[in-house]
Amino acid sequence: MKLATTTGDFFKYGLNPKESIEEILNAGFKNIDYNFSYDYKNRCGLYADNWQKYADELLKMSAQKGFKFVQSHAPMGYPIKCDQNQ
């Protein structure tokens, strides 16, 4: 089993995914669950038009800092409520 934590735990503190990754690494984790909620809510990162460039940046960051993305979390929330507002 790999010990990991999620970037989503840091969003309530105002951190974006890359800042969250830095805090996770500072805490000693080497395995990360990338949470898509921030990107989805803000239409940035992996939900932006330039998502491929952003994905490349994350992979480069992973290689440079020696961590792995071991899983990811789909955006959570109220999908039916959001659909009704569109």
Side-chain angles (χ1 to χ4, degrees):
M1 177 171 69
K2 295 178 181 178
L3 186 59
T5 193
T6 178
T7 56
D9 289 342
F10 297 87
F11 299 158
K12 293 202 186 284
Y13 298 104
L15 301 181
N16 66 44
K18 287 183 178 178
E19 293 167 333
S20 299
I21 289 168
E22 291 294 341
E23 292 302 320
I24 290 169
L25 296 175
N26 289 339
F29 288 90
K30 293 294 182 188
N31 298 294
I32 295 176
D33 164 14
Y34 189 94
N35 188 308
F36 285 81
S37 295
Y38 183 95
D39 297 4
Y40 179 77
K41 181 179 178 184
N42 297 292
R43 296 293 186 230
C44 64
L46 295 171
Y47 275 87
D49 289 337
N50 64 342
W51 67 269
Q52 290 172 312
K53 179 181 178 210
Y54 184 77
D56 289 340
E57 291 171 8
L58 290 176
L59 292 175
K60 183 178 178 183
M61 185 179 188
S62 171
Q64 289 175 340
K65 296 186 180 261
F67 69 90
K68 292 183 181 182
F69 292 105
V70 294
Q71 68 178 30
S72 62
H73 249 83
M76 306 301 282
Y78 307 100
I80 295 173
K81 183 178 178 183
C82 291
D83 287 345
Q84 292 172 347
N85 292 331
Q86 293 181 6

PDB file of all heavy atoms in Angstrom, residues 40-75:
ATOM      1  N   TYR A  40     -12.214  22.241 -11.856  1.00  0.00           N
ATOM      2  CA  TYR A  40     -13.583  22.268 -12.350  1.00  0.00           C
ATOM      3  C   TYR A  40     -14.294  23.551 -11.929  1.00  0.00           C
ATOM      4  O   TYR A  40     -14.900  24.229 -12.747  1.00  0.00           O
ATOM      5  CB  TYR A  40     -14.342  21.042 -11.837  1.00  0.00           C
ATOM      6  CG  TYR A  40     -15.775  20.995 -12.263  1.00  0.00           C
ATOM      7  CD1 TYR A  40     -16.124  20.621 -13.556  1.00  0.00           C
ATOM      8  CD2 TYR A  40     -16.789  21.314 -11.369  1.00  0.00           C
ATOM      9  CE1 TYR A  40     -17.448  20.581 -13.955  1.00  0.00           C
ATOM     10  CE2 TYR A  40     -18.112  21.275 -11.758  1.00  0.00           C
ATOM     11  CZ  TYR A  40     -18.440  20.901 -13.047  1.00  0.00           C
ATOM     12  OH  TYR A  40     -19.748  20.871 -13.433  1.00  0.00           O
ATOM     13  N   LYS A  41     -14.186  23.872 -10.657  1.00  0.00           N
ATOM     14  CA  LYS A  41     -14.882  25.048 -10.122  1.00  0.00           C
ATOM     15  C   LYS A  41     -14.392  26.341 -10.769  1.00  0.00           C
ATOM     16  O   LYS A  41     -15.178  27.237 -11.058  1.00  0.00           O
ATOM     17  CB  LYS A  41     -14.668  25.121  -8.611  1.00  0.00           C
ATOM     18  CG  LYS A  41     -15.353  26.289  -7.954  1.00  0.00           C
ATOM     19  CD  LYS A  41     -15.109  26.289  -6.459  1.00  0.00           C
ATOM     20  CE  LYS A  41     -15.753  27.504  -5.816  1.00  0.00           C
ATOM     21  NZ  LYS A  41     -15.466  27.588  -4.399  1.00  0.00           N
ATOM     22  N   ASN A  42     -13.090  26.437 -11.004  1.00  0.00           N
ATOM     23  CA  ASN A  42     -12.488  27.662 -11.536  1.00  0.00           C
ATOM     24  C   ASN A  42     -12.233  27.625 -13.038  1.00  0.00           C
ATOM     25  O   ASN A  42     -11.675  28.568 -13.595  1.00  0.00           O
ATOM     26  CB  ASN A  42     -11.186  27.949 -10.787  1.00  0.00           C
ATOM     27  CG  ASN A  42     -11.436  28.205  -9.325  1.00  0.00           C
ATOM     28  OD1 ASN A  42     -12.036  29.201  -8.956  1.00  0.00           O
ATOM     29  ND2 ASN A  42     -11.023  27.276  -8.471  1.00  0.00           N
ATOM     30  N   ARG A  43     -12.594  26.521 -13.680  1.00  0.00           N
ATOM     31  CA  ARG A  43     -12.367  26.339 -15.118  1.00  0.00           C
ATOM     32  C   ARG A  43     -10.926  26.658 -15.502  1.00  0.00           C
ATOM     33  O   ARG A  43     -10.638  27.440 -16.407  1.00  0.00           O
ATOM     34  CB  ARG A  43     -13.343  27.181 -15.943  1.00  0.00           C
ATOM     35  CG  ARG A  43     -14.781  26.766 -15.764  1.00  0.00           C
ATOM     36  CD  ARG A  43     -14.985  25.380 -16.347  1.00  0.00           C
ATOM     37  NE  ARG A  43     -16.397  25.002 -16.317  1.00  0.00           N
ATOM     38  CZ  ARG A  43     -16.835  23.852 -15.826  1.00  0.00           C
ATOM     39  NH1 ARG A  43     -15.996  22.980 -15.324  1.00  0.00           N
ATOM     40  NH2 ARG A  43     -18.103  23.551 -15.850  1.00  0.00           N
ATOM     41  N   CYS A  44     -10.024  26.043 -14.755  1.00  0.00           N
ATOM     42  CA  CYS A  44      -8.592  26.251 -14.990  1.00  0.00           C
ATOM     43  C   CYS A  44      -7.888  24.895 -14.964  1.00  0.00           C
ATOM     44  O   CYS A  44      -8.536  23.855 -14.876  1.00  0.00           O
ATOM     45  CB  CYS A  44      -8.020  27.183 -13.923  1.00  0.00           C
ATOM     46  SG  CYS A  44      -8.097  26.510 -12.253  1.00  0.00           S
ATOM     47  N   GLY A  45      -6.566  24.917 -15.013  1.00  0.00           N
ATOM     48  CA  GLY A  45      -5.801  23.677 -14.920  1.00  0.00           C
ATOM     49  C   GLY A  45      -6.235  22.647 -15.941  1.00  0.00           C
ATOM     50  O   GLY A  45      -6.228  22.902 -17.142  1.00  0.00           O
ATOM     51  N   LEU A  46      -6.660  21.489 -15.469  1.00  0.00           N
ATOM     52  CA  LEU A  46      -7.047  20.410 -16.367  1.00  0.00           C
ATOM     53  C   LEU A  46      -8.425  20.598 -16.982  1.00  0.00           C
ATOM     54  O   LEU A  46      -8.848  19.813 -17.819  1.00  0.00           O
ATOM     55  CB  LEU A  46      -6.947  19.071 -15.632  1.00  0.00           C
ATOM     56  CG  LEU A  46      -5.508  18.709 -15.238  1.00  0.00           C
ATOM     57  CD1 LEU A  46      -5.482  17.498 -14.321  1.00  0.00           C
ATOM     58  CD2 LEU A  46      -4.646  18.474 -16.466  1.00  0.00           C
ATOM     59  N   TYR A  47      -9.129  21.659 -16.609  1.00  0.00           N
ATOM     60  CA  TYR A  47     -10.410  22.015 -17.228  1.00  0.00           C
ATOM     61  C   TYR A  47     -10.296  23.256 -18.106  1.00  0.00           C
ATOM     62  O   TYR A  47     -11.304  23.778 -18.573  1.00  0.00           O
ATOM     63  CB  TYR A  47     -11.490  22.231 -16.159  1.00  0.00           C
ATOM     64  CG  TYR A  47     -12.156  20.949 -15.754  1.00  0.00           C
ATOM     65  CD1 TYR A  47     -11.621  20.154 -14.755  1.00  0.00           C
ATOM     66  CD2 TYR A  47     -13.319  20.512 -16.384  1.00  0.00           C
ATOM     67  CE1 TYR A  47     -12.225  18.969 -14.387  1.00  0.00           C
ATOM     68  CE2 TYR A  47     -13.923  19.329 -16.026  1.00  0.00           C
ATOM     69  CZ  TYR A  47     -13.373  18.564 -15.024  1.00  0.00           C
ATOM     70  OH  TYR A  47     -13.973  17.378 -14.664  1.00  0.00           O
ATOM     71  N   ALA A  48      -9.100  23.725 -18.334  1.00  0.00           N
ATOM     72  CA  ALA A  48      -8.887  24.903 -19.179  1.00  0.00           C
ATOM     73  C   ALA A  48      -8.643  24.472 -20.625  1.00  0.00           C
ATOM     74  O   ALA A  48      -8.393  23.296 -20.908  1.00  0.00           O
ATOM     75  CB  ALA A  48      -7.690  25.705 -18.667  1.00  0.00           C
ATOM     76  N   ASP A  49      -8.693  25.424 -21.519  1.00  0.00           N
ATOM     77  CA  ASP A  49      -8.436  25.125 -22.924  1.00  0.00           C
ATOM     78  C   ASP A  49      -7.021  24.602 -23.149  1.00  0.00           C
ATOM     79  O   ASP A  49      -6.793  23.784 -24.031  1.00  0.00           O
ATOM     80  CB  ASP A  49      -8.654  26.377 -23.786  1.00  0.00           C
ATOM     81  CG  ASP A  49     -10.125  26.754 -23.885  1.00  0.00           C
ATOM     82  OD1 ASP A  49     -11.000  25.876 -23.693  1.00  0.00           O
ATOM     83  OD2 ASP A  49     -10.405  27.933 -24.164  1.00  0.00           O
ATOM     84  N   ASN A  50      -6.073  25.067 -22.327  1.00  0.00           N
ATOM     85  CA  ASN A  50      -4.675  24.634 -22.471  1.00  0.00           C
ATOM     86  C   ASN A  50      -4.339  23.518 -21.490  1.00  0.00           C
ATOM     87  O   ASN A  50      -3.231  23.440 -20.973  1.00  0.00           O
ATOM     88  CB  ASN A  50      -3.728  25.817 -22.294  1.00  0.00           C
ATOM     89  CG  ASN A  50      -3.798  26.411 -20.897  1.00  0.00           C
ATOM     90  OD1 ASN A  50      -4.757  26.175 -20.157  1.00  0.00           O
ATOM     91  ND2 ASN A  50      -2.796  27.177 -20.520  1.00  0.00           N
ATOM     92  N   TRP A  51      -5.273  22.598 -21.260  1.00  0.00           N
ATOM     93  CA  TRP A  51      -5.105  21.537 -20.272  1.00  0.00           C
ATOM     94  C   TRP A  51      -3.891  20.658 -20.559  1.00  0.00           C
ATOM     95  O   TRP A  51      -3.250  20.174 -19.631  1.00  0.00           O
ATOM     96  CB  TRP A  51      -6.372  20.692 -20.167  1.00  0.00           C
ATOM     97  CG  TRP A  51      -6.670  19.894 -21.404  1.00  0.00           C
ATOM     98  CD1 TRP A  51      -7.434  20.272 -22.460  1.00  0.00           C
ATOM     99  CD2 TRP A  51      -6.183  18.584 -21.702  1.00  0.00           C
ATOM    100  NE1 TRP A  51      -7.457  19.289 -23.415  1.00  0.00           N
ATOM    101  CE2 TRP A  51      -6.701  18.233 -22.969  1.00  0.00           C
ATOM    102  CE3 TRP A  51      -5.373  17.681 -21.039  1.00  0.00           C
ATOM    103  CZ2 TRP A  51      -6.425  17.011 -23.570  1.00  0.00           C
ATOM    104  CZ3 TRP A  51      -5.103  16.451 -21.638  1.00  0.00           C
ATOM    105  CH2 TRP A  51      -5.627  16.131 -22.887  1.00  0.00           C
ATOM    106  N   GLN A  52      -3.553  20.457 -21.822  1.00  0.00           N
ATOM    107  CA  GLN A  52      -2.403  19.604 -22.146  1.00  0.00           C
ATOM    108  C   GLN A  52      -1.098  20.231 -21.655  1.00  0.00           C
ATOM    109  O   GLN A  52      -0.231  19.537 -21.134  1.00  0.00           O
ATOM    110  CB  GLN A  52      -2.339  19.323 -23.643  1.00  0.00           C
ATOM    111  CG  GLN A  52      -3.468  18.406 -24.088  1.00  0.00           C
ATOM    112  CD  GLN A  52      -3.536  18.259 -25.585  1.00  0.00           C
ATOM    113  OE1 GLN A  52      -3.492  19.256 -26.314  1.00  0.00           O
ATOM    114  NE2 GLN A  52      -3.646  17.023 -26.046  1.00  0.00           N
ATOM    115  N   LYS A  53      -0.968  21.529 -21.812  1.00  0.00           N
ATOM    116  CA  LYS A  53       0.220  22.232 -21.315  1.00  0.00           C
ATOM    117  C   LYS A  53       0.291  22.115 -19.796  1.00  0.00           C
ATOM    118  O   LYS A  53       1.357  21.863 -19.233  1.00  0.00           O
ATOM    119  CB  LYS A  53       0.185  23.707 -21.737  1.00  0.00           C
ATOM    120  CG  LYS A  53       1.370  24.503 -21.250  1.00  0.00           C
ATOM    121  CD  LYS A  53       1.281  25.954 -21.671  1.00  0.00           C
ATOM    122  CE  LYS A  53       2.479  26.698 -21.095  1.00  0.00           C
ATOM    123  NZ  LYS A  53       2.199  28.078 -20.826  1.00  0.00           N
ATOM    124  N   TYR A  54      -0.850  22.282 -19.137  1.00  0.00           N
ATOM    125  CA  TYR A  54      -0.896  22.175 -17.677  1.00  0.00           C
ATOM    126  C   TYR A  54      -0.525  20.753 -17.229  1.00  0.00           C
ATOM    127  O   TYR A  54       0.237  20.580 -16.278  1.00  0.00           O
ATOM    128  CB  TYR A  54      -2.286  22.562 -17.171  1.00  0.00           C
ATOM    129  CG  TYR A  54      -2.394  22.565 -15.675  1.00  0.00           C
ATOM    130  CD1 TYR A  54      -1.861  23.606 -14.929  1.00  0.00           C
ATOM    131  CD2 TYR A  54      -3.030  21.533 -15.001  1.00  0.00           C
ATOM    132  CE1 TYR A  54      -1.949  23.618 -13.551  1.00  0.00           C
ATOM    133  CE2 TYR A  54      -3.129  21.533 -13.621  1.00  0.00           C
ATOM    134  CZ  TYR A  54      -2.591  22.567 -12.902  1.00  0.00           C
ATOM    135  OH  TYR A  54      -2.676  22.572 -11.539  1.00  0.00           O
ATOM    136  N   ALA A  55      -1.037  19.746 -17.921  1.00  0.00           N
ATOM    137  CA  ALA A  55      -0.707  18.355 -17.589  1.00  0.00           C
ATOM    138  C   ALA A  55       0.792  18.116 -17.736  1.00  0.00           C
ATOM    139  O   ALA A  55       1.413  17.457 -16.889  1.00  0.00           O
ATOM    140  CB  ALA A  55      -1.496  17.396 -18.476  1.00  0.00           C
ATOM    141  N   ASP A  56       1.382  18.660 -18.782  1.00  0.00           N
ATOM    142  CA  ASP A  56       2.834  18.542 -18.976  1.00  0.00           C
ATOM    143  C   ASP A  56       3.596  19.209 -17.832  1.00  0.00           C
ATOM    144  O   ASP A  56       4.613  18.685 -17.367  1.00  0.00           O
ATOM    145  CB  ASP A  56       3.266  19.149 -20.309  1.00  0.00           C
ATOM    146  CG  ASP A  56       2.833  18.315 -21.513  1.00  0.00           C
ATOM    147  OD1 ASP A  56       2.548  17.109 -21.336  1.00  0.00           O
ATOM    148  OD2 ASP A  56       2.774  18.882 -22.625  1.00  0.00           O
ATOM    149  N   GLU A  57       3.103  20.369 -17.369  1.00  0.00           N
ATOM    150  CA  GLU A  57       3.737  21.061 -16.245  1.00  0.00           C
ATOM    151  C   GLU A  57       3.686  20.201 -14.978  1.00  0.00           C
ATOM    152  O   GLU A  57       4.664  20.124 -14.224  1.00  0.00           O
ATOM    153  CB  GLU A  57       3.057  22.403 -15.981  1.00  0.00           C
ATOM    154  CG  GLU A  57       3.293  23.438 -17.052  1.00  0.00           C
ATOM    155  CD  GLU A  57       2.434  24.683 -16.869  1.00  0.00           C
ATOM    156  OE1 GLU A  57       1.755  24.813 -15.818  1.00  0.00           O
ATOM    157  OE2 GLU A  57       2.430  25.528 -17.780  1.00  0.00           O
ATOM    158  N   LEU A  58       2.548  19.552 -14.737  1.00  0.00           N
ATOM    159  CA  LEU A  58       2.417  18.681 -13.564  1.00  0.00           C
ATOM    160  C   LEU A  58       3.368  17.488 -13.648  1.00  0.00           C
ATOM    161  O   LEU A  58       4.001  17.114 -12.657  1.00  0.00           O
ATOM    162  CB  LEU A  58       0.976  18.190 -13.419  1.00  0.00           C
ATOM    163  CG  LEU A  58      -0.064  19.226 -13.017  1.00  0.00           C
ATOM    164  CD1 LEU A  58      -1.452  18.595 -13.022  1.00  0.00           C
ATOM    165  CD2 LEU A  58       0.248  19.819 -11.651  1.00  0.00           C
ATOM    166  N   LEU A  59       3.477  16.892 -14.830  1.00  0.00           N
ATOM    167  CA  LEU A  59       4.381  15.753 -15.006  1.00  0.00           C
ATOM    168  C   LEU A  59       5.836  16.172 -14.837  1.00  0.00           C
ATOM    169  O   LEU A  59       6.642  15.436 -14.256  1.00  0.00           O
ATOM    170  CB  LEU A  59       4.153  15.093 -16.363  1.00  0.00           C
ATOM    171  CG  LEU A  59       2.816  14.373 -16.518  1.00  0.00           C
ATOM    172  CD1 LEU A  59       2.641  13.872 -17.942  1.00  0.00           C
ATOM    173  CD2 LEU A  59       2.700  13.234 -15.517  1.00  0.00           C
ATOM    174  N   LYS A  60       6.182  17.348 -15.337  1.00  0.00           N
ATOM    175  CA  LYS A  60       7.537  17.869 -15.173  1.00  0.00           C
ATOM    176  C   LYS A  60       7.818  18.115 -13.687  1.00  0.00           C
ATOM    177  O   LYS A  60       8.886  17.761 -13.180  1.00  0.00           O
ATOM    178  CB  LYS A  60       7.711  19.160 -15.970  1.00  0.00           C
ATOM    179  CG  LYS A  60       9.096  19.739 -15.909  1.00  0.00           C
ATOM    180  CD  LYS A  60       9.201  20.996 -16.775  1.00  0.00           C
ATOM    181  CE  LYS A  60      10.590  21.595 -16.673  1.00  0.00           C
ATOM    182  NZ  LYS A  60      10.699  22.837 -17.446  1.00  0.00           N
ATOM    183  N   MET A  61       6.852  18.702 -12.997  1.00  0.00           N
ATOM    184  CA  MET A  61       6.986  18.949 -11.555  1.00  0.00           C
ATOM    185  C   MET A  61       7.187  17.624 -10.812  1.00  0.00           C
ATOM    186  O   MET A  61       8.036  17.520  -9.925  1.00  0.00           O
ATOM    187  CB  MET A  61       5.721  19.660 -11.063  1.00  0.00           C
ATOM    188  CG  MET A  61       5.723  20.095  -9.642  1.00  0.00           C
ATOM    189  SD  MET A  61       4.132  20.932  -9.292  1.00  0.00           S
ATOM    190  CE  MET A  61       4.491  21.556  -7.664  1.00  0.00           C
ATOM    191  N   SER A  62       6.442  16.609 -11.206  1.00  0.00           N
ATOM    192  CA  SER A  62       6.556  15.287 -10.591  1.00  0.00           C
ATOM    193  C   SER A  62       7.961  14.703 -10.782  1.00  0.00           C
ATOM    194  O   SER A  62       8.565  14.190  -9.833  1.00  0.00           O
ATOM    195  CB  SER A  62       5.511  14.352 -11.211  1.00  0.00           C
ATOM    196  OG  SER A  62       5.710  13.034 -10.814  1.00  0.00           O
ATOM    197  N   ALA A  63       8.469  14.805 -11.995  1.00  0.00           N
ATOM    198  CA  ALA A  63       9.803  14.270 -12.286  1.00  0.00           C
ATOM    199  C   ALA A  63      10.888  15.032 -11.522  1.00  0.00           C
ATOM    200  O   ALA A  63      11.816  14.429 -10.985  1.00  0.00           O
ATOM    201  CB  ALA A  63      10.069  14.327 -13.786  1.00  0.00           C
ATOM    202  N   GLN A  64      10.774  16.341 -11.455  1.00  0.00           N
ATOM    203  CA  GLN A  64      11.786  17.161 -10.781  1.00  0.00           C
ATOM    204  C   GLN A  64      11.786  16.969  -9.270  1.00  0.00           C
ATOM    205  O   GLN A  64      12.838  16.977  -8.637  1.00  0.00           O
ATOM    206  CB  GLN A  64      11.559  18.641 -11.098  1.00  0.00           C
ATOM    207  CG  GLN A  64      11.897  19.029 -12.507  1.00  0.00           C
ATOM    208  CD  GLN A  64      11.549  20.484 -12.808  1.00  0.00           C
ATOM    209  OE1 GLN A  64      10.741  21.113 -12.128  1.00  0.00           O
ATOM    210  NE2 GLN A  64      12.162  21.018 -13.855  1.00  0.00           N
ATOM    211  N   LYS A  65      10.601  16.813  -8.691  1.00  0.00           N
ATOM    212  CA  LYS A  65      10.504  16.776  -7.235  1.00  0.00           C
ATOM    213  C   LYS A  65      10.384  15.359  -6.676  1.00  0.00           C
ATOM    214  O   LYS A  65      10.368  15.166  -5.462  1.00  0.00           O
ATOM    215  CB  LYS A  65       9.332  17.641  -6.778  1.00  0.00           C
ATOM    216  CG  LYS A  65       9.577  19.102  -7.146  1.00  0.00           C
ATOM    217  CD  LYS A  65       8.530  20.008  -6.594  1.00  0.00           C
ATOM    218  CE  LYS A  65       8.827  21.436  -7.001  1.00  0.00           C
ATOM    219  NZ  LYS A  65       9.474  22.189  -5.968  1.00  0.00           N
ATOM    220  N   GLY A  66      10.277  14.366  -7.547  1.00  0.00           N
ATOM    221  CA  GLY A  66      10.308  12.974  -7.116  1.00  0.00           C
ATOM    222  C   GLY A  66       9.042  12.446  -6.462  1.00  0.00           C
ATOM    223  O   GLY A  66       9.102  11.652  -5.528  1.00  0.00           O
ATOM    224  N   PHE A  67       7.890  12.854  -6.948  1.00  0.00           N
ATOM    225  CA  PHE A  67       6.637  12.303  -6.439  1.00  0.00           C
ATOM    226  C   PHE A  67       5.845  11.699  -7.590  1.00  0.00           C
ATOM    227  O   PHE A  67       6.178  11.894  -8.757  1.00  0.00           O
ATOM    228  CB  PHE A  67       5.817  13.372  -5.705  1.00  0.00           C
ATOM    229  CG  PHE A  67       5.254  14.446  -6.592  1.00  0.00           C
ATOM    230  CD1 PHE A  67       4.004  14.306  -7.172  1.00  0.00           C
ATOM    231  CD2 PHE A  67       5.965  15.611  -6.840  1.00  0.00           C
ATOM    232  CE1 PHE A  67       3.482  15.304  -7.986  1.00  0.00           C
ATOM    233  CE2 PHE A  67       5.453  16.614  -7.648  1.00  0.00           C
ATOM    234  CZ  PHE A  67       4.204  16.455  -8.226  1.00  0.00           C
ATOM    235  N   LYS A  68       4.807  10.939  -7.232  1.00  0.00           N
ATOM    236  CA  LYS A  68       3.955  10.312  -8.239  1.00  0.00           C
ATOM    237  C   LYS A  68       2.495  10.642  -7.965  1.00  0.00           C
ATOM    238  O   LYS A  68       2.073  10.721  -6.820  1.00  0.00           O
ATOM    239  CB  LYS A  68       4.116   8.794  -8.212  1.00  0.00           C
ATOM    240  CG  LYS A  68       5.459   8.314  -8.666  1.00  0.00           C
ATOM    241  CD  LYS A  68       5.508   6.811  -8.678  1.00  0.00           C
ATOM    242  CE  LYS A  68       6.887   6.360  -9.127  1.00  0.00           C
ATOM    243  NZ  LYS A  68       6.977   4.909  -9.210  1.00  0.00           N
ATOM    244  N   PHE A  69       1.760  10.797  -9.055  1.00  0.00           N
ATOM    245  CA  PHE A  69       0.309  10.871  -8.949  1.00  0.00           C
ATOM    246  C   PHE A  69      -0.188   9.430  -8.989  1.00  0.00           C
ATOM    247  O   PHE A  69      -0.041   8.744  -9.996  1.00  0.00           O
ATOM    248  CB  PHE A  69      -0.284  11.667 -10.116  1.00  0.00           C
ATOM    249  CG  PHE A  69       0.062  13.128 -10.087  1.00  0.00           C
ATOM    250  CD1 PHE A  69       1.003  13.650 -10.958  1.00  0.00           C
ATOM    251  CD2 PHE A  69      -0.543  13.975  -9.175  1.00  0.00           C
ATOM    252  CE1 PHE A  69       1.324  14.995 -10.937  1.00  0.00           C
ATOM    253  CE2 PHE A  69      -0.223  15.329  -9.135  1.00  0.00           C
ATOM    254  CZ  PHE A  69       0.715  15.831 -10.020  1.00  0.00           C
ATOM    255  N   VAL A  70      -0.743   8.963  -7.891  1.00  0.00           N
ATOM    256  CA  VAL A  70      -1.160   7.567  -7.813  1.00  0.00           C
ATOM    257  C   VAL A  70      -2.652   7.370  -8.037  1.00  0.00           C
ATOM    258  O   VAL A  70      -3.101   6.244  -8.234  1.00  0.00           O
ATOM    259  CB  VAL A  70      -0.729   6.926  -6.474  1.00  0.00           C
ATOM    260  CG1 VAL A  70       0.792   6.839  -6.385  1.00  0.00           C
ATOM    261  CG2 VAL A  70      -1.286   7.691  -5.287  1.00  0.00           C
ATOM    262  N   GLN A  71      -3.407   8.443  -7.973  1.00  0.00           N
ATOM    263  CA  GLN A  71      -4.830   8.389  -8.296  1.00  0.00           C
ATOM    264  C   GLN A  71      -5.344   9.808  -8.461  1.00  0.00           C
ATOM    265  O   GLN A  71      -4.610  10.770  -8.274  1.00  0.00           O
ATOM    266  CB  GLN A  71      -5.628   7.654  -7.224  1.00  0.00           C
ATOM    267  CG  GLN A  71      -5.719   8.367  -5.889  1.00  0.00           C
ATOM    268  CD  GLN A  71      -6.567   7.588  -4.894  1.00  0.00           C
ATOM    269  OE1 GLN A  71      -6.630   6.364  -4.933  1.00  0.00           O
ATOM    270  NE2 GLN A  71      -7.221   8.283  -4.006  1.00  0.00           N
ATOM    271  N   SER A  72      -6.600   9.931  -8.828  1.00  0.00           N
ATOM    272  CA  SER A  72      -7.203  11.255  -8.952  1.00  0.00           C
ATOM    273  C   SER A  72      -8.652  11.187  -8.489  1.00  0.00           C
ATOM    274  O   SER A  72      -9.247  10.118  -8.434  1.00  0.00           O
ATOM    275  CB  SER A  72      -7.123  11.762 -10.389  1.00  0.00           C
ATOM    276  OG  SER A  72      -7.852  10.906 -11.244  1.00  0.00           O
ATOM    277  N   HIS A  73      -9.169  12.336  -8.149  1.00  0.00           N
ATOM    278  CA  HIS A  73     -10.555  12.470  -7.689  1.00  0.00           C
ATOM    279  C   HIS A  73     -11.322  13.302  -8.696  1.00  0.00           C
ATOM    280  O   HIS A  73     -10.905  14.417  -9.019  1.00  0.00           O
ATOM    281  CB  HIS A  73     -10.581  13.216  -6.344  1.00  0.00           C
ATOM    282  CG  HIS A  73     -10.970  12.377  -5.205  1.00  0.00           C
ATOM    283  ND1 HIS A  73     -10.093  11.577  -4.539  1.00  0.00           N
ATOM    284  CD2 HIS A  73     -12.167  12.210  -4.599  1.00  0.00           C
ATOM    285  CE1 HIS A  73     -10.713  10.965  -3.550  1.00  0.00           C
ATOM    286  NE2 HIS A  73     -11.974  11.329  -3.573  1.00  0.00           N
ATOM    287  N   ALA A  74     -12.440  12.781  -9.136  1.00  0.00           N
ATOM    288  CA  ALA A  74     -13.318  13.569  -9.994  1.00  0.00           C
ATOM    289  C   ALA A  74     -13.901  14.712  -9.168  1.00  0.00           C
ATOM    290  O   ALA A  74     -13.954  14.630  -7.941  1.00  0.00           O
ATOM    291  CB  ALA A  74     -14.446  12.692 -10.530  1.00  0.00           C
ATOM    292  N   PRO A  75     -14.335  15.775  -9.837  1.00  0.00           N
ATOM    293  CA  PRO A  75     -14.941  16.875  -9.087  1.00  0.00           C
ATOM    294  C   PRO A  75     -16.200  16.393  -8.382  1.00  0.00           C
ATOM    295  O   PRO A  75     -16.972  15.629  -8.932  1.00  0.00           O
ATOM    296  CB  PRO A  75     -15.278  17.916 -10.142  1.00  0.00           C
ATOM    297  CG  PRO A  75     -14.923  17.345 -11.448  1.00  0.00           C
ATOM    298  CD  PRO A  75     -14.294  16.024 -11.253  1.00  0.00           C
TER     299      PRO A  75
END
